[in-house]
Amino acid sequence: MTRVLVIDDEPSILRALRINLTARNYEVSTASDGTSGLAAVSRERPDAVILDLGLPDMDGTEVIHGVRGWSTTPIIVLSVWGAEHQKVAALDAGADDYVTKPFGMDELLARLRAAVRRAAPAAPDEPVVTTPGFTVDLAAKRVVRDGADVRLTPTEWQLLEILVRNRGRLITQKQLLQDVWGPAYGSESNYLRVYVAQLRRKLEPEPSRPRYLLTEPGMGYRFQA
Amino acid sequence: MTRVLVIDDEPSILRALRINLTARNYEVSTASDGTSGLAAVSRERPDAVILDLGLPDMDGTEVIHGVRGWSTTPIIVLSVWGAEHQKVAALDAGADDYVTKPFGMDELLARLRAAVRRAAPAAPDEPVVTTPGFTVDLAAKRVVRDGADVRLTPTEWQLLEILVRNRGRLITQKQLLQDVWGPAYGSESNYLRVYVAQLRRKLEPEPSRPRYLLTEPGMGYRFQA
DNA sequence: GCCAATCTTGACGTTTTCCTAACGCCCAGC
DNA sequence: GCTGGGCGTTAGGAAAACGTCAAGATTGGC
């Protein structure tokens, strides 16, 4: 299910969006100011963000920048009619699209679908990666080894997913930490050591001599297919 | 965040641009002459360059040529009013746009945004360099030789990356030392001898008679493709 | 409110990398 | 033929990074 975060300070809009989006089978969460909005993006990793530019605590473009610093989640901006400079600033900051208030729900939904669709092609190719030792199904979020499912915790899965999606490529420690734990992390490489070790224990034929989850000392990790 | 390098010898302009760009959430770095400007482009790989044509140490078009030899980063040129021939020469040399001093900050920002946007989709900067002996994949941070991965330490990789990104060009010892070890270094050429030797041992067919990692006695090193 | 699963955190032994010094070679200049 | 500077090569101890384990702290479901 597609998860959408709505950041808006007007309860009526929040309510209308929640009802309409839920009815169309989106999973909706909300925030009513920029600070909690940024926290929510970091915490929930929504598939899309709907952001009202007129927030009480900070400028909308600041929120966009805060998100764009580490994530490419599509952002659709709501702005009042006539605030052209604001719209331009928001798009420059990295927003994907905008809708002028008052807006038709159909238009918003269309733009939301488009934005999510545009962001999707991250997974067009090979949603299943196979090695001699195990198989990773990215779409189904499943790992099979010796015919049996391997049970992974959420954090283990996120880590594995990033490495597998970038198979062959070296991913730096900082990037892994930010993608899995959020933008506030970047130097806690001990987390990585613990979770990589757990993945190796569950996936590698010889966990102490890894064949697929390789360490590049001082730089990061690499998934070798 | 978009990273912009400003090359200008007038402190007041440098200051004004830094303030305005930083406020718009660009990441700004500066250089005050052509030599250090070229070094900074190589080192920082900015997303755009703002270049004043009137530099103390070299002609602006030389700087453009120096950059265009290996990079397609957008370059916006600042020139005084009336210097038409200079502007033409700069555009011929590969500049993307120009702004005449004195300039309005809004205009410069607009042109900067346009240049960055234009560059964005069409800049898959050949991340893989091949020689008869081995292959360097800059994006994946990977070196393959005879079908097998070559293992490089972080320092070895940094050194190789700089030389490969500037392939064909002579890089001075001082620049290599500063780029890899930091600005406090510049005369420790023995470091370079040790690490270049290690790279040659891992990459060259005949390490004692290098074909790709060439020494320029008294000057520096060069990667020959 | 309790329990199980998961996530953090710290400690310790091992591996890898980095820095540094020493030595030999080559070549130019005297 | 001696001398000195720049370069290549090697090796070993110091420092940093890594793997591993296990004990708290948190979280979420019942």
Side-chain angles (χ1 to χ4, degrees), chain A residues 109-137:
Chain A
L109 289 168
R111 291 189 187 275
L112 176 61
R113 278 196 303 273
V116 171
R117 192 178 332 115
R118 248 179 284 126
D125 59 313
E126 203 80 65
V128 170
V129 177
T130 307
T131 76
F134 53 89
T135 300
V136 182
D137 188 332

mmCIF file of all heavy atoms in Angstrom, chain A residues 109-137:
data_model
loop_
_atom_site.group_PDB
_atom_site.id
_atom_site.type_symbol
_atom_site.label_atom_id
_atom_site.label_comp_id
_atom_site.label_asym_id
_atom_site.label_seq_id
_atom_site.Cartn_x
_atom_site.Cartn_y
_atom_site.Cartn_z
ATOM 1 N N LEU A 109 -5.350 14.027 -6.712
ATOM 2 C CA LEU A 109 -5.115 12.587 -6.785
ATOM 3 C C LEU A 109 -4.351 12.211 -8.050
ATOM 4 O O LEU A 109 -3.461 11.357 -8.022
ATOM 5 C CB LEU A 109 -6.461 11.849 -6.734
ATOM 6 C CG LEU A 109 -7.144 11.899 -5.368
ATOM 7 C CD1 LEU A 109 -8.585 11.407 -5.471
ATOM 8 C CD2 LEU A 109 -6.363 11.062 -4.359
ATOM 9 N N ALA A 110 -4.693 12.888 -9.152
ATOM 10 C CA ALA A 110 -4.005 12.591 -10.409
ATOM 11 C C ALA A 110 -2.525 12.929 -10.277
ATOM 12 O O ALA A 110 -1.638 12.159 -10.673
ATOM 13 C CB ALA A 110 -4.629 13.387 -11.547
ATOM 14 N N ARG A 111 -2.262 14.090 -9.693
ATOM 15 C CA ARG A 111 -0.855 14.496 -9.575
ATOM 16 C C ARG A 111 -0.110 13.581 -8.602
ATOM 17 O O ARG A 111 1.065 13.281 -8.783
ATOM 18 C CB ARG A 111 -0.766 15.954 -9.110
ATOM 19 C CG ARG A 111 -1.253 16.924 -10.181
ATOM 20 C CD ARG A 111 -0.954 18.365 -9.819
ATOM 21 N NE ARG A 111 -1.563 19.288 -10.759
ATOM 22 C CZ ARG A 111 -0.995 19.650 -11.906
ATOM 23 N NH1 ARG A 111 0.185 19.158 -12.237
ATOM 24 N NH2 ARG A 111 -1.613 20.491 -12.713
ATOM 25 N N LEU A 112 -0.798 13.149 -7.589
ATOM 26 C CA LEU A 112 -0.171 12.239 -6.639
ATOM 27 C C LEU A 112 0.181 10.915 -7.326
ATOM 28 O O LEU A 112 1.285 10.396 -7.178
ATOM 29 C CB LEU A 112 -1.124 11.995 -5.461
ATOM 30 C CG LEU A 112 -0.652 10.991 -4.420
ATOM 31 C CD1 LEU A 112 0.648 11.457 -3.775
ATOM 32 C CD2 LEU A 112 -1.722 10.787 -3.347
ATOM 33 N N ARG A 113 -0.778 10.393 -8.094
ATOM 34 C CA ARG A 113 -0.491 9.140 -8.805
ATOM 35 C C ARG A 113 0.699 9.304 -9.732
ATOM 36 O O ARG A 113 1.589 8.456 -9.793
ATOM 37 C CB ARG A 113 -1.725 8.716 -9.624
ATOM 38 C CG ARG A 113 -2.780 8.000 -8.818
ATOM 39 C CD ARG A 113 -3.761 7.278 -9.739
ATOM 40 N NE ARG A 113 -4.393 8.186 -10.690
ATOM 41 C CZ ARG A 113 -5.499 8.891 -10.440
ATOM 42 N NH1 ARG A 113 -6.078 8.813 -9.246
ATOM 43 N NH2 ARG A 113 -6.013 9.673 -11.350
ATOM 44 N N ALA A 114 0.714 10.444 -10.439
ATOM 45 C CA ALA A 114 1.807 10.681 -11.389
ATOM 46 C C ALA A 114 3.150 10.739 -10.669
ATOM 47 O O ALA A 114 4.141 10.157 -11.120
ATOM 48 C CB ALA A 114 1.560 11.970 -12.159
ATOM 49 N N ALA A 115 3.160 11.442 -9.545
ATOM 50 C CA ALA A 115 4.425 11.602 -8.819
ATOM 51 C C ALA A 115 4.931 10.259 -8.304
ATOM 52 O O ALA A 115 6.117 9.938 -8.406
ATOM 53 C CB ALA A 115 4.249 12.582 -7.659
ATOM 54 N N VAL A 116 4.017 9.460 -7.770
ATOM 55 C CA VAL A 116 4.416 8.159 -7.247
ATOM 56 C C VAL A 116 4.898 7.264 -8.387
ATOM 57 O O VAL A 116 5.898 6.557 -8.258
ATOM 58 C CB VAL A 116 3.248 7.497 -6.489
ATOM 59 C CG1 VAL A 116 3.593 6.056 -6.146
ATOM 60 C CG2 VAL A 116 2.921 8.290 -5.248
ATOM 61 N N ARG A 117 4.195 7.342 -9.525
ATOM 62 C CA ARG A 117 4.574 6.516 -10.669
ATOM 63 C C ARG A 117 5.968 6.910 -11.148
ATOM 64 O O ARG A 117 6.811 6.064 -11.428
ATOM 65 C CB ARG A 117 3.563 6.675 -11.796
ATOM 66 C CG ARG A 117 3.741 5.647 -12.890
ATOM 67 C CD ARG A 117 2.699 5.792 -13.991
ATOM 68 N NE ARG A 117 1.440 6.369 -13.519
ATOM 69 C CZ ARG A 117 0.980 7.545 -13.910
ATOM 70 N NH1 ARG A 117 1.690 8.286 -14.739
ATOM 71 N NH2 ARG A 117 -0.173 7.992 -13.454
ATOM 72 N N ARG A 118 6.228 8.231 -11.209
ATOM 73 C CA ARG A 118 7.526 8.699 -11.669
ATOM 74 C C ARG A 118 8.645 8.217 -10.744
ATOM 75 O O ARG A 118 9.731 7.885 -11.183
ATOM 76 C CB ARG A 118 7.533 10.235 -11.732
ATOM 77 C CG ARG A 118 7.602 10.774 -13.146
ATOM 78 C CD ARG A 118 7.570 12.284 -13.148
ATOM 79 N NE ARG A 118 6.249 12.829 -12.908
ATOM 80 C CZ ARG A 118 5.954 13.709 -11.966
ATOM 81 N NH1 ARG A 118 6.900 14.116 -11.138
ATOM 82 N NH2 ARG A 118 4.731 14.158 -11.821
ATOM 83 N N ALA A 119 8.344 8.177 -9.471
ATOM 84 C CA ALA A 119 9.384 7.787 -8.513
ATOM 85 C C ALA A 119 9.627 6.282 -8.541
ATOM 86 O O ALA A 119 10.688 5.817 -8.163
ATOM 87 C CB ALA A 119 8.987 8.224 -7.109
ATOM 88 N N ALA A 120 8.625 5.542 -9.012
ATOM 89 C CA ALA A 120 8.668 4.095 -8.908
ATOM 90 C C ALA A 120 9.799 3.430 -9.676
ATOM 91 O O ALA A 120 10.390 2.482 -9.170
ATOM 92 C CB ALA A 120 7.330 3.503 -9.336
ATOM 93 N N PRO A 121 10.136 3.891 -10.909
ATOM 94 C CA PRO A 121 10.997 3.043 -11.751
ATOM 95 C C PRO A 121 12.318 2.681 -11.119
ATOM 96 O O PRO A 121 13.204 2.175 -11.778
ATOM 97 C CB PRO A 121 11.199 3.893 -13.011
ATOM 98 C CG PRO A 121 10.959 5.291 -12.578
ATOM 99 C CD PRO A 121 9.883 5.174 -11.538
ATOM 100 N N ALA A 122 12.428 2.911 -9.852
ATOM 101 C CA ALA A 122 13.611 2.425 -9.157
ATOM 102 C C ALA A 122 13.650 0.897 -9.193
ATOM 103 O O ALA A 122 14.688 0.302 -8.978
ATOM 104 C CB ALA A 122 13.612 2.909 -7.711
ATOM 105 N N ALA A 123 12.518 0.268 -9.439
ATOM 106 C CA ALA A 123 12.483 -1.189 -9.415
ATOM 107 C C ALA A 123 11.858 -1.774 -10.682
ATOM 108 O O ALA A 123 10.951 -2.568 -10.603
ATOM 109 C CB ALA A 123 11.707 -1.668 -8.188
ATOM 110 N N PRO A 124 12.333 -1.367 -11.860
ATOM 111 C CA PRO A 124 11.749 -1.944 -13.057
ATOM 112 C C PRO A 124 12.421 -3.276 -13.389
ATOM 113 O O PRO A 124 11.785 -4.182 -13.885
ATOM 114 C CB PRO A 124 12.073 -0.912 -14.135
ATOM 115 C CG PRO A 124 13.271 -0.167 -13.615
ATOM 116 C CD PRO A 124 13.428 -0.470 -12.147
ATOM 117 N N ASP A 125 13.704 -3.370 -13.076
ATOM 118 C CA ASP A 125 14.452 -4.519 -13.544
ATOM 119 C C ASP A 125 14.678 -5.518 -12.422
ATOM 120 O O ASP A 125 14.942 -5.128 -11.295
ATOM 121 C CB ASP A 125 15.802 -4.060 -14.099
ATOM 122 C CG ASP A 125 16.629 -3.334 -13.061
ATOM 123 O OD1 ASP A 125 16.072 -2.451 -12.380
ATOM 124 O OD2 ASP A 125 17.806 -3.654 -12.910
ATOM 125 N N GLU A 126 14.571 -6.761 -12.789
ATOM 126 C CA GLU A 126 15.012 -7.856 -11.924
ATOM 127 C C GLU A 126 14.633 -7.644 -10.464
ATOM 128 O O GLU A 126 15.480 -7.293 -9.661
ATOM 129 C CB GLU A 126 16.524 -7.968 -12.014
ATOM 130 C CG GLU A 126 17.044 -9.338 -11.644
ATOM 131 C CD GLU A 126 16.898 -10.304 -12.784
ATOM 132 O OE1 GLU A 126 17.537 -10.118 -13.827
ATOM 133 O OE2 GLU A 126 16.120 -11.253 -12.632
ATOM 134 N N PRO A 127 13.371 -7.871 -10.134
ATOM 135 C CA PRO A 127 13.020 -7.741 -8.724
ATOM 136 C C PRO A 127 13.465 -8.955 -7.921
ATOM 137 O O PRO A 127 13.267 -9.011 -6.721
ATOM 138 C CB PRO A 127 11.498 -7.622 -8.742
ATOM 139 C CG PRO A 127 11.078 -8.205 -10.038
ATOM 140 C CD PRO A 127 12.247 -8.269 -10.959
ATOM 141 N N VAL A 128 14.055 -9.918 -8.610
ATOM 142 C CA VAL A 128 14.530 -11.113 -7.917
ATOM 143 C C VAL A 128 16.012 -11.296 -8.219
ATOM 144 O O VAL A 128 16.423 -11.309 -9.372
ATOM 145 C CB VAL A 128 13.760 -12.369 -8.372
ATOM 146 C CG1 VAL A 128 14.427 -13.616 -7.834
ATOM 147 C CG2 VAL A 128 12.324 -12.286 -7.922
ATOM 148 N N VAL A 129 16.789 -11.393 -7.175
ATOM 149 C CA VAL A 129 18.230 -11.564 -7.341
ATOM 150 C C VAL A 129 18.627 -12.910 -6.778
ATOM 151 O O VAL A 129 18.300 -13.244 -5.639
ATOM 152 C CB VAL A 129 18.996 -10.449 -6.615
ATOM 153 C CG1 VAL A 129 20.498 -10.676 -6.746
ATOM 154 C CG2 VAL A 129 18.623 -9.097 -7.203
ATOM 155 N N THR A 130 19.312 -13.687 -7.590
ATOM 156 C CA THR A 130 19.669 -15.043 -7.183
ATOM 157 C C THR A 130 21.179 -15.209 -7.100
ATOM 158 O O THR A 130 21.907 -14.727 -7.959
ATOM 159 C CB THR A 130 19.113 -16.058 -8.204
ATOM 160 O OG1 THR A 130 17.722 -15.807 -8.370
ATOM 161 C CG2 THR A 130 19.332 -17.471 -7.717
ATOM 162 N N THR A 131 21.605 -15.864 -6.072
ATOM 163 C CA THR A 131 23.003 -16.255 -5.954
ATOM 164 C C THR A 131 23.031 -17.763 -5.758
ATOM 165 O O THR A 131 22.002 -18.376 -5.484
ATOM 166 C CB THR A 131 23.673 -15.584 -4.745
ATOM 167 O OG1 THR A 131 23.227 -16.256 -3.569
ATOM 168 C CG2 THR A 131 23.296 -14.118 -4.653
ATOM 169 N N PRO A 132 24.187 -18.353 -5.909
ATOM 170 C CA PRO A 132 24.271 -19.791 -5.655
ATOM 171 C C PRO A 132 23.815 -20.166 -4.243
ATOM 172 O O PRO A 132 23.418 -21.299 -3.992
ATOM 173 C CB PRO A 132 25.761 -20.091 -5.834
ATOM 174 C CG PRO A 132 26.252 -19.026 -6.752
ATOM 175 C CD PRO A 132 25.447 -17.806 -6.413
ATOM 176 N N GLY A 133 23.860 -19.212 -3.332
ATOM 177 C CA GLY A 133 23.541 -19.551 -1.955
ATOM 178 C C GLY A 133 22.110 -19.268 -1.549
ATOM 179 O O GLY A 133 21.517 -20.001 -0.761
ATOM 180 N N PHE A 134 21.511 -18.203 -2.118
ATOM 181 C CA PHE A 134 20.172 -17.827 -1.679
ATOM 182 C C PHE A 134 19.521 -16.942 -2.730
ATOM 183 O O PHE A 134 20.155 -16.561 -3.725
ATOM 184 C CB PHE A 134 20.229 -17.095 -0.336
ATOM 185 C CG PHE A 134 21.171 -15.928 -0.340
ATOM 186 C CD1 PHE A 134 20.735 -14.665 -0.712
ATOM 187 C CD2 PHE A 134 22.501 -16.098 0.018
ATOM 188 C CE1 PHE A 134 21.603 -13.606 -0.735
ATOM 189 C CE2 PHE A 134 23.384 -15.037 0.001
ATOM 190 C CZ PHE A 134 22.923 -13.780 -0.366
ATOM 191 N N THR A 135 18.250 -16.628 -2.523
ATOM 192 C CA THR A 135 17.484 -15.825 -3.465
ATOM 193 C C THR A 135 16.800 -14.691 -2.730
ATOM 194 O O THR A 135 16.183 -14.897 -1.687
ATOM 195 C CB THR A 135 16.418 -16.693 -4.169
ATOM 196 O OG1 THR A 135 17.073 -17.745 -4.862
ATOM 197 C CG2 THR A 135 15.625 -15.865 -5.155
ATOM 198 N N VAL A 136 16.890 -13.492 -3.282
ATOM 199 C CA VAL A 136 16.254 -12.328 -2.681
ATOM 200 C C VAL A 136 15.170 -11.827 -3.625
ATOM 201 O O VAL A 136 15.446 -11.488 -4.774
ATOM 202 C CB VAL A 136 17.281 -11.206 -2.427
ATOM 203 C CG1 VAL A 136 16.597 -10.013 -1.763
ATOM 204 C CG2 VAL A 136 18.428 -11.712 -1.574
ATOM 205 N N ASP A 137 13.943 -11.791 -3.145
ATOM 206 C CA ASP A 137 12.816 -11.275 -3.924
ATOM 207 C C ASP A 137 12.481 -9.885 -3.400
ATOM 208 O O ASP A 137 11.846 -9.733 -2.356
ATOM 209 C CB ASP A 137 11.619 -12.217 -3.782
ATOM 210 C CG ASP A 137 10.486 -11.814 -4.729
ATOM 211 O OD1 ASP A 137 10.395 -10.610 -5.050
ATOM 212 O OD2 ASP A 137 9.718 -12.690 -5.134
#
